[in-house]
Amino acid sequence: MDLVEKSLEVIINNQSKSGAFIASPSFDTYAFSWLRDGSFIANSLDQYKKYDEAEKFYRWVNDVINRYSDKVNVIEDKISRGERISRKDYLNARFTLEGFEEKKEGWGNFQLDGYGTWLWAVSEHIKLTGKTELIDEFHNSINAALKYIKLLAFYPNYDIWEENYDKIHTSTLACLYGGVKAINDYLKKDEVTKLANQIKTYILTNCVEDEHFVKFIGTKEIDSSLLWLAIPFNVVDVSDDIFKNTVKKIEDDLFVDNGMHRYKKDTYYGGGEWILLSAWMGLYYKKVNETEKAEAVEKWIEKCATEEGYLPEQVCLHPNDETYYPKWVDMWGEIASPLLWSHAMYLILKSK
């Protein structure tokens, strides 16, 4: 089975008419479209010149942001008056496939990462297609996203795993910097340059402990998503000493037999190895010309595919705590498979 072709098929077949990508078609909890996941999924299609399908997603997000952009003005007004911002004021991290807020109680919807990731993905799409007219077409949504980021970039919010709502997360800040910096290649606005510089300075000043980047401010722990600082968001270069120290810790603490854990204390489905994060390690190895290691990661991912050619969210070959696996199965069912983000990151890895 050609897993590249199968991955493209899985993604395209699970794009709704609206343009949204369902996170996983077989996992009820993931029957929504996340801005973050979807932006990486659309970017994977861009790598294979599936530009129309990718752009459908970018346009879907444009419509979603425009639909709810009044919230950004409410937040701005509340901040100026020193009033408390409530949960209902924030823009959501995930939406129904039709582009509306979902109202499930208890879900960590205040996540900023998706708005930065969308700005970055749109910028990459323009770079590949030359469609600079999208900057004008998306004028309102781009400005709303930038204002939202400017207002809340340094507020505690849920991380990329929908956890730790009371922390400020390094990988979230990386998403914001990457998006702001990338879109300003086309906007060329001084105030946007200033915002990008503020975020980068904040990361370098506050998100380093013991000569390595940390999962969130106030800890010395790491997270494999710290790879995003260099790939793809370019906060630092892969040659940066602090980043190299971080990669070494990730390799030592989280990377086992070519499979990548999220973080040491992860117990979601036992805390197994995530396909998409393993692909990120492969991208790093390709970037630093460690070809054999990158190839080993590719082969490991391919071995994780099911008989149908589906890539799951994670596999539990070396779980952090296997006693948690049946607890999650009882609560939500078996691990999500296929996960479109897993397929997307495999495609991106193979394209480089």
Side-chain angles (χ1 to χ4, degrees), residues 35 60-78 88-92 95 99-101 115 118 137-149 151-152:
L35 269 62
W60 176 80
V61 178
N62 171 63
D63 291 343
V64 167
I65 294 176
N66 285 336
R67 179 173 294 125
Y68 294 105
S69 61
D70 283 348
K71 284 189 162 193
V72 181
N73 296 326
V74 170
I75 290 170
E76 183 178 38
D77 289 343
K78 285 193 171 185
K88 65 180 177 61
D89 293 328
Y90 297 116
L91 295 174
N92 277 23
F95 296 85
F100 295 95
E101 293 179 340
Y115 293 88
W118 177 71
E137 289 187 47
F138 293 178
H139 174 80
N140 291 336
S141 59
I142 288 171
N143 284 342
L146 287 170
K147 181 189 281 191
Y148 190 59
I149 291 169
L151 289 168
L152 299 173

Side-chain angles (χ1 to χ4, degrees), residues 15 19 21 33 35 38-39 42 53-61:
Q15 184 174 30
F21 297 109
S33 187
L35 269 62
S39 294
E53 292 88 346
E55 192 169 307
K56 272 187 74 175
F57 174 78
Y58 304 134
R59 290 185 177 279
W60 176 80
V61 178

Side-chain angles (χ1 to χ4, degrees), residues 112-182:
L112 295 170
D113 51 38
Y115 293 88
T117 308
W118 177 71
L119 290 173
W120 166 81
V122 169
S123 303
E124 290 294 301
H125 181 72
I126 293 170
K127 188 185 301 181
L128 290 168
T129 64
K131 295 188 69 172
T132 54
E133 64 269 21
L134 291 177
I135 294 294
D136 290 330
E137 289 187 47
F138 293 178
H139 174 80
N140 291 336
S141 59
I142 288 171
N143 284 342
L146 287 170
K147 181 189 281 191
Y148 190 59
I149 291 169
K150 182 178 180 180
L151 289 168
L152 299 173
F154 310 120
Y155 274 58
N157 65 104
Y158 286 94
D159 65 16
I160 58 173
W161 313 126
E162 282 90 37
E163 297 173 344
N164 300 302
Y165 69 92
D166 58 341
K167 308 296 182 185
I168 298 174
H169 306 278
T170 307
S171 58
T172 296
L173 291 167
C175 295
L176 302 184
Y177 171 82
V180 171
K181 180 72 165 57

